Amino acid sequence: LHQAALAEAASRGAGVMFLEVAVDNEAGLGLYTALGFGEAGRRRAYYPRGSGPAVDALILKVDLPQHS
């Protein structure tokens, strides 16, 4: 599904895709890293956690191939 979204965005002329994930979401980070995303920014203490302090949100981005 994510690969289809990347392809669709690129076909419509998008050059970059961004997403956000909690820093403690290891599975999500693993998936997005495997898809080529890298860290572009961080929102400190963005996601509240009932069992402890809020965790950072990582802003990730990937450059999309250009279609002509």
Side-chain angles (χ1 to χ4, degrees):
L1 181 60
H2 204 272
Q3 292 288 27
L6 291 170
E8 181 65 20
S11 74
R12 292 176 180 246
V16 179
M17 183 176 279
F18 291 90
L19 59 81
E20 182 180 287
V21 64
V23 73
D24 62 354
N25 183 345
E26 294 178 21
L29 284 169
L31 171 65
Y32 300 136
T33 299
L35 291 171
F37 282 84
E39 187 172 341
R42 184 179 289 248
R43 291 184 172 103
R44 301 273 177 211
Y46 188 76
Y47 290 109
R49 295 292 189 250
S51 60
V55 298
D56 294 353
L58 295 178
I59 302 165
L60 306 179
K61 79 169 196 167
V62 66
D63 292 325
L64 301 176
Q66 297 301 304
H67 291 271
S68 31

